[in-house]
């Protein structure tokens, strides 16, 4: 089968990782890049060899891509999905799909009505240490408790200044990743309780969230996220985890140390991720996961297999974000409504 022809829409901060990763993806080639800012479009074209556009309609009409990769911020996803779907292109779209769950539902309806395939670029569950952690889980038997932690003081607003202005901050930007990891490791969620705190001076929304999830399996999981933990060395961008089961405990510690504790034994493995040739050392974990996410998208387009992070699947993760905001507002546990 010939290579699928793709186009990236939005060539800003995080799209630099998408653009570089597309060069390493088997089965796809980038034919167009598009940004409202001509300088960003031109730089992306110089990086990838694809044709530069500043207008999405013109790009879709001229390049006629098989798929588009939407890497703009969330407010623009709904109209861009509508345009790409009308042009018959399959879509991979950055998280969060939309500012709220009503927008996510409209995006899914648009894609389904057009008969195109839609996947969210939810890359955390494609991080190789988290894949290794899940592979190791049978060794601890039935899991009944977990703590999944994203706790960093990394200056997220320096790279993504728009985050200081949003009312929904860490839960929608980062909690969405970690809640998806909780689903990836422990399955769907029956109910959720959350507390949020505005801990970042100058940021409008919450920079810290602490949640308790009751999974349908009966397992209980604490999901904790902060952008304001003053700690050195800082674990950014690692997600740390502890999972306790009937037969043992797994701990994914800083610097990719995976511990398997069973009665009378401790096994330790270094599960450091492989690093793409173009990776920046600080972002290598995230950049490797971008590569894995985009390869999964192309592999599923070619094979017809369901995406792990299809639009429909991501609705369940988004419902956890909505439930967390509702719980923080009411002080009560909330049942997620996908
Ligand atoms: P950004 O503002 O740096 O880049 C967005 C770009 O899109 C800008 O260059 C803008 O000009 C362009 N754009 C906007 N509307 C457009 C349109 N109609 N046509 C063409 N171009 C258009 O934003 P960012 O920080 O790169 O974030 C983009 C997305 O990536 C967000 O949804 C964010 O949540 C996500 N993100 C994900 C991760 C991750 O790990 N998965 C990390 C960082 C950011
Ligand atoms: O996922 C995100 O959008 C980013 C980061 C990985 C830095 O948290 O904000």
């Amino acid at each position: 089968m010939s290579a699928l022809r793709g186009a990236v829409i939005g060539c800003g901060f995080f799209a630099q990782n998408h653009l570089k990763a597309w060069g390493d993806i088997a089965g796809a080639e980038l034919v167009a890049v598009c940004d409202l800012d001509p300088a960003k479009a031109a730089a992306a074209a110089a990086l990838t060899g694809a044709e530069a556009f500043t207008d999405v309609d013109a790009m879709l009409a001229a390049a006629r891509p098989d798929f588009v990769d939407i890497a703009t911020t969330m407010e623009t996803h709904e109209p861009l999905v509508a345009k790409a779907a009308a042009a018959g292109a399959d879509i991979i779209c950055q998280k969060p799909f939309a500012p709220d769950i009503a927008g996510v539902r409209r995006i899914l309806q648009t894609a389904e009505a057009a008969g195109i395939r839609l996947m969210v670029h939810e890359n955390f569950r494609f991080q190789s240490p988290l894949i290794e952690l899940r592979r190791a889980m049978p060794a601890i038997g039935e899991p009944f408790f977990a703590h999944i932690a994203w706790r960093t003081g990394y200056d997220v607003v320096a790279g993504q200044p728009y985050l200081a202005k949003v009312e929904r901050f860490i839960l929608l930007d980062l909690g969405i990743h970690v809640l998806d990891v909780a689903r990836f490791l422990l399955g769907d969620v029956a109910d959720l309780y959350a507390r949020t705190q505005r801990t970042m001076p100058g940021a409008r929304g919450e920079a810290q969230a602490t949640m308790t999830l009751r999974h349908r399996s009966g397992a209980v999981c604490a999901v904790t996220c902060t952008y304001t933990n003053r700690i050195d060395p800082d674990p950014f961008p690692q997600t740390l985890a502890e999972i306790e089961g009937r037969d043992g405990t797994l701990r994914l510690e800083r610097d990719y140390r995976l511990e398997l504790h069973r009665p009378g034994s401790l096994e330790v493995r270094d599960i450091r991720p492989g690093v793409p040739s173009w990776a920046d050392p600080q972002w290598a974990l995230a950049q490797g996961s971008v590569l894995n996410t985009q390869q999964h998208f192309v592999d599923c387009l070619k094979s017809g297999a369901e995406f792990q992070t299809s639009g429909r699947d991501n609705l369940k993760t988004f419902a956890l974000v909505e439930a967390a905001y509702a719980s923080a507002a009411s002080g009560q546990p909330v049942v997620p409504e996908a």
Side-chain angles (χ1 to χ4, degrees):
M1 204 190 274
S2 57
L4 297 173
R5 302 169 67 259
V8 171
I9 303 175
C11 303
F13 170 71
F14 200 72
Q16 300 312 308
N17 302 319
H18 296 218
L19 292 164
K20 289 172 189 159
W22 281 118
D24 286 352
I25 302 294
E29 61 170 328
L30 216 53
V31 295
V33 290
C34 181
D35 199 290
L36 296 175
D37 179 339
K40 288 185 185 169
L47 181 71
T48 60
E51 191 176 351
F53 294 85
T54 53
D55 179 83
V56 166
D57 297 310
M59 183 278 286
L60 291 169
R64 304 182 69 78
D66 297 314
F67 70 86
V68 300
D69 172 13
I70 299 176
T72 59
T73 47
M74 62 182 173
E75 306 76 20
T76 59
H77 292 169
E78 192 176 345
L80 290 171
V81 164
K83 284 175 189 286
D90 295 315
I91 299 170
I92 180 169
C93 177
Q94 256 298 344
K95 49 55 66 175
F97 262 138
D100 58 34
I101 200 161
V104 179
R105 291 202 176 97
R106 288 193 299 272
I107 285 175
L108 299 193
Q109 279 160 9
T110 299
E112 285 165 7
I116 57 99
R117 300 193 60 192
L118 174 68
M119 171 171 145
V120 70
H121 185 118
E122 173 44 75
N123 53 320
F124 272 39
R125 66 161 76 190
F126 290 97
Q127 291 176 2
S128 64
L130 293 171
I131 295 170
E132 282 298 318
L133 175 64
R134 192 167 95 154
R135 277 200 194 119
M137 283 178 65
I140 60 165
E142 182 195 350
F144 45 70
F145 173 82
H147 178 196
I148 308 176
W150 168 279
R151 309 198 69 77
T152 173
Y154 171 78
D155 185 2
V156 68
V157 171
Q160 297 163 259
Y162 53 88
L163 290 174
K165 301 187 195 112
V166 289
E167 178 135 12
R168 293 177 148 200
F169 181 14
I170 198 169
L171 273 169
L172 190 53
D173 181 57
L174 189 278
I176 197 164
H177 290 302
V178 189
L179 288 165
D180 191 65
V181 169
R183 288 188 55 235
F184 174 62
L185 296 174
L186 296 164
D188 283 333
V189 174
D191 60 33
L192 176 161
Y193 174 80
R195 289 281 184 204
T196 56
Q197 292 160 275
R198 290 196 165 96
T199 50
M200 188 186 286
R204 188 166 164 218
E206 83 292 347
Q208 184 153 306
T210 305
M211 291 161 274
T212 309
L213 281 53
R214 189 169 60 91
H215 289 264
R216 289 201 185 135
S217 64
V220 169
C221 179
V223 171
T224 71
C225 307
T226 183
Y227 280 139
T228 51
N229 185 10
R230 304 291 161 228
I231 189 160
D232 191 16
D234 194 296
F236 179 87
Q238 253 204 283
T239 302
L240 305 181
E242 176 170 26
I243 309 176
E244 295 175 3
R246 290 215 178 277
D247 305 328
T249 294
L250 281 162
R251 283 195 183 149
L252 177 53
E253 304 278 11
R254 171 187 293 223
D255 295 330
Y256 310 107
R257 175 184 162 98
L258 181 64
E259 296 179 358
L260 170 59
H261 298 255
R262 280 186 291 194
S265 78
L266 167 61
E267 283 172 38
V268 180
R269 278 200 291 144
D270 183 338
I271 55 166
R272 201 167 298 278
V275 173
S277 57
W278 42 268
D280 163 307
Q282 191 182 30
W283 282 85
L285 171 68
Q287 290 168 325
S289 71
V290 166
L291 196 59
N292 295 344
T293 306
Q294 291 176 189
Q295 190 65 64
H296 177 75
F297 174 69
V298 170
D299 289 346
C300 291
L301 286 184
K302 291 208 157 209
S303 68
E306 181 69 333
F307 302 125
Q308 258 196 59
T309 53
S310 66
R312 280 283 151 202
D313 183 83
N314 196 249
L315 186 63
K316 293 187 201 171
T317 295
F318 207 102
L320 299 185
V321 174
E322 290 288 358
Y325 281 117
S327 173
S330 69
Q332 300 298 319
V334 171
V335 174
E337 279 180 43

